[in-house]
Amino acid sequence: MARRSVQFWRIEQLNGDELSRPFPARRVAEVLKKAQDTGTDRHFTSIDGTVLLAQAAASSPFPVLLLDRVRDTNLPSVGDALGRRKPLPLAPGDHLLETTYFAFLKRNVIAVLTSGNGPRASRLGEYLEGMLGLEPSLVPVVREDIEEILTRLEVSRFEFALPAERLSGKLMDGEWADVLDSASRLMNQGTFRISLSVGRSGKAEDKQRIRERIQQLIHLFRRAGSVDHFDYVVAEGKDSLTGDREVVDLLKERFISHIEVDPDVFNDPQKSTAEAIVILNKQARDNEAFFARTLPDIRGSADSGLVPDIVAGGMATVRAALAAAESAERAGQVAERARQVAGKAGKAAGEADQSAGESQGGGDHELVRG
């Protein structure tokens, strides 16, 4: 089995304004599906050169998108049974795709299933802005029920780190004070990191005693009130209620759910997408009560008019076309003004000629008095 993580983010703003209505995720999925069906190029190149490609995987019960990082350079090698290396056997025109899965849940929450190789969550915002002109601002979902989580957590690991120059027994009380005070005499540069874990071997009752001891030490650590001096503080274990693996960030009080997946399933493009949808839907159900309790309710309907159809090249192509049209319109306006000026000049010249002719004609007649 392989481990994957599920992160939770919330769309706080859209195009610079607070988002108080549902994000038009279903419309985004529709235009992506339409682009897929019509063969419209959906590739987007970020400022740093990363090529991204999105596709719709589901629209119900929650819209699910796949965001791939597209690679055609610096590819890994393949080895045979004897370790002989050879190039990755890609057909001409093929690319390596590294995928992250996004599910758009209620309250503008996005559940993000990652693998470590796929694009990070912020890349979704880059893609939506580049291809659709949407600029979502993502913020992590903060776990306000940290006490409840830690109570349910069958902890297997506790780890923290801080710069060595901050090491001091004054940061903590009791046993932790002794640990940090001793560490301050060992080093004064670099990073001091300590990790406590239950371990893999041993009897169940022994593991339970170790688990309870780590839980007690976590409680003492948090009670000290100096956690903000640390760079990294996490507790990891199994949620006794859902059975999921969780990593609880005690600095930000947000969690990351860890799940076990079959690597053979996730190596199959069709099976992996179906399995990802199942996982994300389960995460939505498991955490809906928490989201309802801690996040603002989002009412109204999504503004689908914000989402245009995808065109090859994305918004850069649209903006270039608009700029060209505006330039042509301005050129036309200039030409029209030139024609109007020329017309007025011609009319003025004609009137001047007529006036001159009349003056000359009057000189041919004399009044003769008899």
Side-chain angles (χ1 to χ4, degrees):
M1 301 295 283
R3 175 176 289 195
R4 295 289 179 97
S5 65
V6 179
Q7 305 171 359
F8 295 95
W9 299 78
R10 185 169 64 88
I11 306 176
E12 186 176 54
Q13 294 184 335
L14 182 61
N15 300 338
D17 297 322
E18 182 179 355
L19 186 59
S20 57
R21 61 196 303 178
F23 178 77
R26 193 159 275 108
R27 167 63 180 166
V28 171
E30 289 173 358
V31 300
L32 281 171
K33 182 65 167 60
K34 180 179 177 181
Q36 292 166 221
D37 293 342
T38 58
T40 302
D41 184 8
R42 308 184 311 281
H43 291 82
F44 170 72
T45 303
S46 299
I47 294 176
D48 64 0
T50 300
V51 179
L52 302 171
L53 175 66
Q55 62 176 298
S59 59
S60 180
F62 305 105
V64 176
L65 306 183
L66 278 61
L67 186 63
D68 294 316
R69 176 164 49 209
V70 182
R71 288 175 53 190
D72 55 11
T73 60
N74 195 28
L75 300 177
S77 301
V78 176
D80 62 16
L82 298 177
R84 290 187 292 260
R85 298 163 62 85
K86 54 185 178 181
L88 195 66
L90 295 179
D94 285 354
H95 303 85
L96 188 66
L97 301 179
E98 297 170 317
T99 308
T100 300
Y101 304 86
F102 296 82
F104 294 81
L105 313 182
K106 297 178 182 177
R107 298 176 179 81
N108 289 332
V109 172
I110 302 179
V112 184
L113 175 59
T114 67
S115 65
N117 296 322
R120 57 184 181 273
S122 61
R123 292 290 194 185
L124 177 66
E126 292 181 35
Y127 185 86
L128 293 178
E129 195 282 326
M131 295 301 291
L132 296 170
L134 303 174
E135 298 182 57
S137 174
L138 305 183
V139 295
V141 173
V142 177
R143 297 304 303 256
E144 296 180 0
D145 60 347
I146 191 72
E147 302 293 344
E148 179 185 341
I149 295 172
L150 289 176
T151 299
R152 298 199 316 256
L153 194 68
E154 296 178 0
V155 65
S156 59
R157 179 177 67 92
F158 175 57
E159 183 171 323
F160 66 81
L162 75 164
E165 58 266 23
R166 294 186 200 163
L167 283 169
S168 171
K170 296 179 181 179
L171 294 177
M172 292 288 163
D173 298 322
E175 296 154 300
W176 283 123
D178 295 336
V179 171
L180 296 183
D181 190 56
S182 298
S184 68
R185 295 192 292 270
L186 292 174
M187 59 189 300
N188 55 24
Q189 291 183 323
T191 298
F192 176 75
R193 182 183 298 268
I194 190 169
S195 179
L196 308 177
S197 65
V198 173
R200 296 181 177 276
S201 60
K203 297 180 180 179
E205 54 267 29
D206 294 334
K207 288 185 176 181
Q208 183 58 32
R209 279 195 297 270
I210 297 171
R211 188 172 287 113
E212 291 171 357
R213 175 57 175 162
I214 294 177
Q215 198 84 302
Q216 180 187 16
L217 291 171
I218 292 174
H219 176 72
L220 294 173
F221 189 96
R222 295 182 64 233
R223 195 175 63 181
S226 299
V227 176
D228 56 326
H229 290 275
F230 292 76
D231 288 346
Y232 178 79
V233 185
V234 300
E236 180 180 2
K238 184 176 72 171
D239 187 318
S240 60
L241 184 63
T242 66
D244 292 336
R245 303 292 299 180
E246 290 192 0
V247 176
V248 183
D249 187 333
L250 298 181
L251 293 181
K252 299 180 180 178
E253 296 196 347
R254 69 186 182 98
F255 76 101
I256 299 173
S257 291
H258 286 275
I259 65 228
E260 300 292 331
V261 301
D262 185 338
D264 291 335
V265 169
F266 269 82
N267 285 334
D268 183 305
Q270 300 301 324
K271 292 181 180 179
S272 64
T273 298
E275 182 68 9
I277 293 172
V278 170
I279 290 170
L280 292 170
N281 285 336
K282 180 179 185 300
Q283 291 292 320
R285 292 193 302 270
D286 290 346
N287 295 286
E288 169 57 25
F290 167 72
F291 296 149
R293 189 171 65 252
T294 61
L295 297 179
D297 193 15
I298 303 297
R299 298 184 179 275
S301 57
D303 185 357
S304 298
L306 293 172
V307 188
D309 285 336
I310 288 180
V311 299
M315 294 306 296
T317 299
V318 173
R319 291 174 184 132
L322 289 175
E326 290 175 359
S327 178
E329 183 179 357
R330 285 195 298 270
Q333 291 171 349
V334 170
E336 179 60 26
R337 283 196 296 269
R339 284 193 296 271
Q340 291 174 356
V341 170
K344 290 179 180 178
K347 182 178 180 181
E351 291 173 349
D353 290 343
Q354 181 180 1
S355 177
E358 290 174 352
S359 297
Q360 292 173 1
D364 291 339
H365 301 279
E366 295 183 9
L367 180 61
V368 180
R369 298 179 184 277

